[in-house]
Amino acid sequence: MQENKTDFGFARIRTEDKTRRVSALFSSVAANYDLMNDLMSLGLHRLWKRQALHISHVRRGSCVLDVAGGTGDMARLYLARMGGQGRVVVSDVNQAMLHQGRDRSLDLGISAGLDYVQANAESLPFANYSFDCICMAFGLRNVSDKPAALLSMYEKLKFGGTVIIVEFSTVAVPVLRRLYDLYSFKLIPMLGKFIAKDEASYRYLVESIRMHPDQETVSAMMEAAGFCRVEYFNLSGGIVAIHRGYKL
Ligand code: SAM
């Protein structure tokens, strides 16, 4: 019988092992995650996340789910946009990332309206039709069963709700792609080695970006899960794409 395998960076592993290995990796990087994000993206991830907020139709009183929310950057942006009148649930498979995010929010004096739930994106433990907006930033490529995660998000969204998927994607411009490859495969593992003392995890992060499906494929997967009017917006030449869809 053929074994059910999936990618883990450039390696092939058993599908049932991926969530555990990805979670272990994020336990290892959690303490340095925010610093490394700023260094690796030269601060650009803040702009990408603001752009995602900008197109997500979130307003006062909205109920938002931040899937694979990690240290809660998106969640805090949503809360600020709602002016304290609304609720954001940060869910993530990894407890260390959630703890980092909770501590960061508390340090910033933010606690009202924020909830944390440890959960696998493939089977979100919420009632159907619960959220006005569901966002997943830089999480989808880490999930073992992406169609299951998209379907679970679809189920938890209210009719009329918006889904936002932010992910590293495929760079269309050849010159930019060559520079980006050089930067990703040479510099990022070095930063991981010297700053986070964890070269292997940052090598995985780079490899997982290359293995992630391109913009058109992710759009087709979202449509297959049931989302309507799916479109995407390339940022920084396609280094990142924001996908948006609706439950209608
Ligand atoms: N959304 C945050 C951000 O934009 O900074 C964190 C992104 S981080 C690159 C990816 C996150 O996905 C990690 O916190 C990791 O624990 C989480 N993750 C990985 N696999 C997951 C899964 N199957 N279900 C839920 N979260 C998952």
Side-chain angles (χ1 to χ4, degrees):
M1 209 172 67
Q2 245 207 343
E3 253 193 321
N4 197 358
K5 295 227 168 183
T6 188
D7 54 274
F8 180 77
F10 289 162
R12 297 288 294 167
I13 62 168
R14 292 191 321 167
T15 304
E16 62 263 36
D17 292 340
K18 179 162 173 170
T19 307
R20 182 181 47 77
R21 287 188 62 175
V22 166
S23 186
L25 183 146
F26 280 100
S27 291
S28 156
V29 303
N32 289 302
Y33 179 80
D34 291 322
L35 170 67
M36 285 296 289
N37 247 1
D38 276 331
L39 287 174
M40 288 187 304
S41 73
L42 309 172
L44 280 174
H45 76 103
R46 293 168 184 261
L47 300 181
W48 298 329
K49 287 170 180 165
R50 283 195 175 278
Q51 190 61 27
L53 168 76
H54 186 63
I55 64 162
S56 62
H57 308 300
V58 164
R59 52 183 182 271
R60 278 172 195 268
S62 290
C63 192
V64 178
L65 174 63
D66 182 14
V67 181
T71 56
D73 277 359
M74 282 305 304
R76 283 185 292 273
L77 285 178
Y78 281 123
L79 263 189
R81 166 61 57 97
M82 294 190 286
Q85 292 174 20
R87 177 171 166 250
V88 183
V89 179
V90 186
S91 81
D92 198 287
V93 76
N94 183 273
Q95 203 176 41
M97 291 292 279
L98 287 174
H99 282 171
Q100 284 289 327
R102 189 199 51 201
D103 291 351
R104 182 121 188 255
S105 295
L106 288 174
D107 288 347
L108 293 165
I110 304 166
S111 59
L114 258 187
D115 292 308
Y116 303 90
V117 175
Q118 188 176 3
N120 189 334
E122 292 163 18
S123 49
L124 294 164
F126 307 102
N128 290 349
Y129 316 110
S130 291
F131 298 96
D132 300 292
C133 175
I134 299 184
C135 172
M136 189 184 210
F138 306 105
L140 190 63
R141 71 177 190 281
N142 297 298
V143 170
S144 316
D145 188 344
K146 295 174 183 59
L150 291 168
L151 187 62
S152 190
M153 287 187 255
Y154 181 81
E155 287 170 351
K156 309 309 165 195
L157 199 61
K158 292 180 189 171
F159 280 110
T162 310
V163 69
I164 298 282
I165 308 284
V166 187
E167 193 47 278
F168 290 105
S169 204
T170 300
V171 176
V173 186
V175 180
L176 179 59
R177 195 164 49 221
R178 276 197 291 280
L179 285 174
Y180 179 52
D181 274 350
L182 210 63
Y183 178 75
S184 305
F185 286 104
K186 298 280 181 226
L187 214 74
I188 289 183
M190 289 255 287
L191 285 174
K193 182 174 176 181
F194 291 112
I195 300 200
K197 313 280 180 250
D198 184 355
E199 184 179 354
S201 295
Y202 284 91
R203 198 167 287 287
Y204 160 79
L205 291 182
V206 173
E207 292 178 2
S208 66
I209 290 170
R210 292 305 182 280
M211 297 306 290
H212 188 62
D214 67 8
Q215 290 87 332
E216 293 297 333
T217 310
V218 172
S219 297
M221 290 167 83
M222 289 173 68
E223 281 165 359
F227 294 109
C228 302
R229 289 169 51 197
V230 173
E231 58 191 329
Y232 65 83
F233 309 89
N234 280 336
L235 305 181
S236 306
I239 290 177
V240 165
I242 304 177
H243 286 79
R244 180 172 63 184
Y246 301 93
K247 180 169 176 175
L248 298 174

